[in-house]
Amino acid sequence: MEKVVIIGTGPAGLTAAIYTARANLKPVVIEGMQPGGQLTTTTDVENFPGFPEGMDGTTLVMKMREQAERFGARFIRGEVTGADFSGKVLKLTLDEGQVLESSTLIIASGARAKYIGIESEEKLMGRGVSACATCDGALYRDVPVAVVGGGDTAMEEALFLTRFASKVSLIHRRNEFRASKIMADRVTTHPKIEIHWDTVVDEVLDVSRNEVTGLRLKNVKTGALTEIPVMAMFAAIGHEPNTRPFKGLLTMNEAGYLVTNHTLTNVAGVFAAGDVQDPHYRQAITAAGTGCMAALEAERYLGSLGG
Ligand code: NAP
């Protein structure tokens, strides 16, 4: 039986791994479908303290992982499909049937990108519809593309895409951005970015080529429909937490985020850190901070068990 199992290898999970490994608790870290988490799909991280020149997101998490391994954290690949918290021993089932038993669990499984939810979007997923400009942006050189959203992610995606695309249409449902002023200013003054205010995507067009060829846009104030030619649409409209295996077991808010108090969940020995319990800040540094808190709480809890 393990002392600590950590789900997730973003900044929250890896910080929890560094702390619990340094406390000699030999954590097992479960690495899912996206090792490194959302930071691996971002561009330069400019706001993580200690890196005045900025740092590539993937490099940042790889360095955290190296640090955790150096102190003895063990990494296994797998998806958590089920959990049993009915006894003192916490049990997790992984996709290949493996069952892990542990005294404590730190859930740092993060969140994933949301899509608009229209049929044509679903149909063209991976054929021009994406939620990751860093992953797919370079495929669209010298052609027009679109980004949907008005938060920091949309700003970041739009700015990144200007490196490749001939033009970036930014589609936002209101007439002001939710993004931070510095990011919004960079976007509004960028010569390659055209902003469509008060606008939503009515249909992703493929003109029977089975790949994106344009968008039909709807002005939400006037109802007017227009079409723009684009070869890709990047959804950047927020995230949803990866909490499905814990439905009915752990207290969640209406959006599915785990409810925590100083990283403690409603089950003794189960802690949560990072985006999976934070619909508000969602920063690498806050995720790392709560990862540290969860590790210290797990250590304290193990101490109370006399283990
Ligand atoms: P967000 O701040 O929640 O913004 C989501 C945007 O998508 C909003 O503008 C929202 O419109 C729009 N939206 C939501 N659902 C929609 C729908 N169904 N159709 C059309 N538009 C929709 O999400 P985010 O941009 O991913 O950012 C999340 C957090 O991460 C924020 O705290 C952000 O500051 C942070 N972040 C920081 C950085 C950075 O500092 N470098 C980079 C990325 C993200 P409304 O505005 O009308 O609600």
Side-chain angles (χ1 to χ4, degrees), residues 21 69 85 93 107 158 160 177 194-195 235 252 262 270-271 274 283:
E69 276 182 313
F85 300 150
T93 311
I107 303 171
F160 178 73
F177 287 136
E194 181 181 31
I195 303 166
M252 298 176 188
H262 294 92
V270 180
F271 307 88
Q283 302 295 302

Side-chain angles (χ1 to χ4, degrees), residues 38 42 44-47 114-117 148-156 171-174 176-180 183 199-201 236-239 275 279-283:
Q38 292 176 73
T42 190
D44 280 354
V45 180
E46 291 180 342
N47 50 14
K114 282 202 290 203
Y115 286 88
I116 304 168
V148 184
D152 279 322
T153 303
M155 305 300 116
E156 224 175 50
I171 295 146
H172 183 39
R173 64 182 178 184
R174 288 191 296 136
E176 60 178 340
F177 287 136
R178 178 179 295 277
S180 55
M183 297 294 278
T199 300
V200 293
V201 176
I237 61 168
H239 296 83
D275 286 13
H280 190 61
Y281 298 106
R282 295 182 287 189
Q283 302 295 302

Side-chain angles (χ1 to χ4, degrees), residues 23-102:
N24 207 23
L25 298 172
K26 301 183 173 43
V28 171
V29 187
I30 305 172
E31 195 162 44
M33 299 248 278
Q34 192 179 42
Q38 292 176 73
L39 267 194
T40 61
T41 67
T42 190
T43 46
D44 280 354
V45 180
E46 291 180 342
N47 50 14
F48 200 91
F51 303 99
E53 309 302 328
M55 159 88 81
D56 165 67
T58 303
T59 310
L60 182 59
V61 276
M62 288 323 289
K63 283 191 173 294
M64 291 181 192
R65 192 186 199 280
E66 238 178 82
Q67 199 173 347
E69 276 182 313
R70 185 181 145 215
F71 294 112
R74 293 161 293 158
F75 288 78
I76 60 169
R77 291 300 280 267
E79 286 290 309
V80 176
T81 54
D84 178 355
F85 300 150
S86 56
K88 262 224 147 109
V89 175
L90 307 167
K91 292 182 186 160
L92 284 182
T93 311
L94 304 190
D95 49 352
E96 290 190 354
Q98 186 185 356
V99 175
L100 285 178
E101 295 188 341
S102 183

Side-chain angles (χ1 to χ4, degrees), residues 167-226:
K167 178 181 173 181
V168 179
S169 296
L170 183 56
I171 295 146
H172 183 39
R173 64 182 178 184
R174 288 191 296 136
N175 63 359
E176 60 178 340
F177 287 136
R178 178 179 295 277
S180 55
K181 191 175 178 314
I182 184 171
M183 297 294 278
D185 284 349
R186 283 183 200 169
V187 161
T188 46
T189 55
H190 199 290
K192 268 191 176 181
I193 300 177
E194 181 181 31
I195 303 166
H196 297 257
W197 300 107
D198 297 314
T199 300
V200 293
V201 176
D202 188 58
E203 190 83 46
V204 186
L205 306 171
D206 69 338
V207 201
S208 72
R209 271 175 45 187
N210 218 12
E211 56 188 88
V212 175
T213 55
L215 298 178
R216 185 162 66 231
L217 303 177
K218 184 178 176 180
N219 184 300
V220 291
K221 289 202 167 140
T222 65
L225 296 173
T226 48

